[in-house]
Amino acid sequence: MGKLTLYGIDGSPPVRSVILTLRALGLDFEYKVVNLQAGEQLKPEFLKLNPLHTVPVLDDDGFILYDSHAINSYLVGKFSKDDSLYPRDLQKRALVDQRLFYESGTVAPAGVEVMYTVLRQDNPEVPQAKIDALAEAYKNLNLFLKDSDFLAGDNLTIADFHVLAVLTGWVYFLEIEPSKYPRLAGWIQRMKRLPYYEEANGARLELILQLIKAKNFKIV
């Protein structure tokens, strides 16, 4: 196996989703932090890797890939001993893809809207409508878990990693109350029991969560 290098920053949910996948596959990799606040993603050497200047970026022995969804499906396809994390069966894969599209198109943007208000605009007042959009995403994720322990069926998949990385940051804006979202709350607890959860996601959340808490945001 060639050398794997991941470029990213811990505060990024897409980066953490890739780290979760790497740990689930038991892969060794070098982690190179890209300081987005300092503009390192705009330096010429990084733009040669990714002209879109985003993280994560994976370097697999010279093969460069960006976008966490593409990276995670690639990692499973190349390195997994089975296809459980991203099934080859078309119907099972389609279900995983649907969850991934919902995460990237709805769940992540809903939280980013709140995050942008609080951190980027330095505005502690979050409109109720933005919180409502996040609540709607929670409701639908809870529905996805109606008949299974994981988001795309009975097995853990990369869809779980993507949503987990996102939600564990968003919960500080809107709690996942077990009375309102019992299946989603139970899923979060199951995911936190993964042996690699804390190293891959939990501990890496701390800096971004400290920034959020310091803003003392309120809903208006």
Side-chain angles (χ1 to χ4, degrees):
M1 186 180 77
K3 179 182 178 182
L4 287 173
T5 303
L6 179 66
Y7 295 82
I9 190 168
D10 286 351
S12 163
V15 170
R16 284 184 271 111
S17 77
V18 173
I19 296 174
L20 283 161
T21 302
L22 287 162
R23 292 308 187 205
L25 295 171
L27 297 174
D28 293 325
F29 64 99
E30 181 180 2
Y31 185 47
K32 293 188 177 181
V33 174
V34 181
N35 189 329
L36 304 184
Q37 285 73 29
E40 290 181 358
Q41 75 277 20
L42 300 175
K43 290 184 176 181
E45 55 268 31
F46 188 80
L47 290 174
K48 287 181 180 178
L49 291 173
N50 179 6
L52 302 182
H53 52 79
T54 58
V55 291
V57 174
L58 181 74
D59 180 349
D60 178 13
D61 203 23
F63 173 65
I64 307 299
L65 189 61
Y66 33 92
D67 186 280
S68 59
H69 303 82
I71 290 170
N72 283 337
S73 60
Y74 170 78
L75 288 170
V76 174
K78 181 171 181 179
F79 296 108
S80 183
K81 295 176 181 177
D82 59 52
D83 69 340
S84 61
L85 286 173
Y86 192 53
R88 293 186 182 91
D89 178 275
L90 287 179
Q91 292 186 354
K92 291 180 180 179
R93 175 169 290 198
L95 191 59
V96 175
D97 287 342
Q98 187 273 321
R99 304 316 195 223
L100 291 173
F101 297 151
Y102 187 74
E103 175 268 323
S104 63
T106 300
V107 183
V112 167
E113 279 290 311
V114 181
M115 184 82 73
Y116 185 83
T117 299
V118 175
L119 294 185
R120 299 295 291 275
Q121 294 183 333
D122 198 24
N123 181 1
E125 296 187 347
V126 178
Q128 181 67 50
K130 293 186 177 183
I131 298 299
D132 291 344
L134 200 52
E136 180 70 12
Y138 287 10
K139 183 185 77 172
N140 290 333
L141 290 170
N142 193 69
L143 284 174
F144 294 162
L145 291 156
K146 179 168 62 103
D147 298 316
S148 60
D149 286 341
F150 299 100
L151 284 169
D154 295 327
N155 295 315
L156 181 71
T157 70
I158 60 173
D160 295 287
F161 294 153
H162 281 273
V163 174
L164 178 70
V166 167
L167 284 196
T168 46
W170 296 172
V171 293
Y172 283 83
F173 297 121
L174 179 63
E175 181 185 356
I176 300 175
E177 299 180 42
S179 60
K180 291 183 178 179
Y181 318 104
R183 300 178 188 91
L184 185 59
W187 171 82
I188 284 277
Q189 293 308 311
R190 284 194 296 279
M191 295 298 290
K192 286 184 175 181
R193 290 195 289 270
L194 292 171
Y196 45 82
Y197 168 82
E198 188 60 28
E199 187 278 331
N201 191 73
R204 296 177 189 272
L205 279 164
E206 287 308 309
L207 178 59
I208 193 72
L209 294 182
Q210 288 173 14
L211 292 174
I212 293 170
K213 292 175 183 177
K215 296 298 182 179
N216 294 316
F217 78 95
K218 59 182 179 180
I219 302 169
V220 296

